[in-house]
Amino acid sequence: MLYIMRHGKTDWNAVHRLQGSEDIPLNEEGRQMARDARKKYGDLRFDICYCSPLQRAQETAEIFLEGSGTPILTDDRLREMGFGMYEGTEHVTQKPDCPVYTLFHDPVHYHAVDGAESLEHLYARSGSFIHDVLTPEFVSGKNVLIVAHGALDCSLICQYEEIPLEHFWDQLLGNCELRRLVSSANV
């Protein structure tokens, strides 16, 4: 089985600041969310965890898996989508004049500018992770956990479950929410 989790809350999440590839740590609420998730999903066992190298995801994985013996491997392809010069911008989903606004309201027509990562690039790197890592793990029958980020998680879910781009944000997980992935493809 394949499972995916979004990292716990950070101070930037709390003020709706776009994090992207900025390496923002969990806040205390985020750490508690990870501890609560460990209790909530305590009956699940994972053979391996793949994690973003960003500290908010790594700390979430470490707290969530504490005492389980599950190895945690980082993979740079699991970094959050880069938003270029717009990282750090607050309330970007409410600013129609900001180019990143389109990503959140109409992802099909989003065009990356000013150093932001395109959805095509995000899909290419997360797709290579699916091909190189998830497919072999699925075939081997392992229980795999992925701990990453909002947009990155959406890209994995959409590709793995063959969900159209217009439903990209419908897949957004809450902080420390766990979802089992169901492949509609022949893996």
Side-chain angles (χ1 to χ4, degrees):
M1 288 290 164
L2 301 175
Y3 296 86
I4 192 164
M5 176 180 275
R6 184 178 173 200
H7 64 78
K9 191 174 273 189
T10 69
D11 286 340
W12 282 29
N13 287 134
V15 295
H16 305 282
R17 183 174 290 166
L18 195 58
Q19 293 178 108
S21 59
E22 290 291 320
D23 201 6
I24 308 302
L26 293 179
N27 61 21
E28 189 49 45
E29 182 182 0
R31 291 181 192 96
Q32 186 60 49
M33 292 172 94
R35 288 189 287 271
D36 291 346
R38 183 177 63 224
K39 291 175 189 168
K40 180 177 181 179
Y41 303 112
D43 58 328
L44 296 174
R45 297 290 173 255
F46 305 99
D47 297 304
I48 194 161
C49 172
Y50 291 97
C51 184
S52 162
L54 299 178
Q55 63 182 318
R56 60 191 180 268
Q58 286 188 47
E59 190 176 4
T60 299
E62 290 165 3
I63 293 169
F64 179 67
L65 294 169
E66 185 178 324
S68 71
T70 304
I72 301 170
L73 303 176
T74 58
D75 192 304
D76 201 51
R77 293 172 289 186
L78 297 177
R79 294 177 73 83
E80 178 59 304
M81 184 177 191
F83 300 109
M85 68 177 281
Y86 303 103
E87 292 184 4
T89 303
E90 290 185 14
H91 301 284
V92 72
T93 61
Q94 300 169 12
K95 296 181 177 179
D97 59 324
C98 180
V100 181
Y101 173 91
T102 304
L103 172 66
F104 294 97
H105 294 278
D106 186 11
V108 172
H109 295 103
Y110 173 65
H111 298 287
V113 296
D114 300 323
E117 183 176 14
S118 69
L119 281 167
E120 293 79 14
H121 186 265
L122 176 68
Y123 270 53
R125 72 177 164 90
S126 58
S128 76
F129 179 80
I130 290 171
H131 179 268
D132 298 345
V133 177
L134 290 187
T135 299
E137 296 288 18
F138 181 82
V139 170
S140 72
K142 289 184 181 175
N143 279 339
V144 178
L145 173 65
I146 301 158
V147 179
H149 309 272
L152 187 283
D153 289 352
C154 288
S155 74
L156 288 173
I157 293 167
C158 285
Q159 289 179 84
Y160 194 76
E161 296 186 346
E162 298 182 340
I163 296 169
L165 186 58
E166 57 264 20
H167 297 291
F168 184 82
W169 291 111
D170 296 344
Q171 312 316 309
L172 183 63
L173 301 174
N175 294 106
C176 286
E177 182 180 346
L178 184 69
R179 177 170 168 181
R180 185 171 66 103
L181 299 182
V182 179
S183 176
S184 59
N186 290 325
V187 181

